Amino acid sequence: MTVSQTPTADQLRNRLVDAILAERRVPADVERAMRTVPRHAFLPGLELENAYTDQAVTIKDNPGKPLPLSCASVPSVVAMMLEQLDARAADDVLEIGAGTGYNAALLAELVASGSGTTVDIDPTSPCTPERARVP
């Protein structure tokens, strides 16, 4: 009899990145950031396996409406946007609409010697300066 082990966050994160890479080219620095930043840390209360699927995650419902108010973006779309941004190590980046802070943490990896500023109009946004730092 074989005992199956529950995958770790690192394993799930690497599987997700591997799946994205199987579908599209991703710059090495974006790949490194996505393999480094723990997406689940920015999606509290979500099952670990669900944090590492290539799907949007609702973070704020919109009662009585068909669509949520806010979602954590699909990771493959995040990779595509970061590729298009082409942020470099010494760049200064402003992100409007910080949401969960996951993208801010990815940007912090990409602009390591530059700076990143994130803002969100929603005072209840889960992104705070403390959460934008990788745990």
Side-chain angles (χ1 to χ4, degrees), residues 9-110:
D10 288 344
Q11 291 169 326
L12 291 168
R13 186 169 49 258
N14 283 317
R15 275 190 216 164
L16 172 62
V17 175
D18 290 344
I20 292 169
L21 290 172
E23 296 295 319
R24 60 173 287 123
R25 184 190 70 76
V26 174
D29 58 343
V30 173
E31 176 186 350
R32 181 188 49 75
M34 293 188 83
R35 289 190 190 278
T36 302
V37 175
R39 187 173 191 244
H40 69 277
F42 300 92
L43 299 168
L46 191 65
E47 293 288 328
L48 196 59
E49 294 81 10
N50 294 334
Y52 293 105
T53 60
D54 197 30
Q55 298 178 6
V57 175
T58 298
I59 58 170
K60 192 166 191 177
D61 288 320
N62 193 3
K65 306 287 182 174
L67 298 174
L69 281 175
S70 184
C71 289
S73 298
V74 177
S76 58
V77 173
V78 171
M80 178 186 63
M81 291 187 300
L82 291 172
E83 176 182 6
Q84 292 173 354
L85 179 62
D86 194 27
R88 301 294 178 188
D91 287 349
D92 298 319
V93 179
L94 171 63
E95 177 187 30
I96 312 264
T100 66
Y102 174 62
N103 197 59
L106 291 169
L107 284 168
E109 287 290 320
L110 294 172

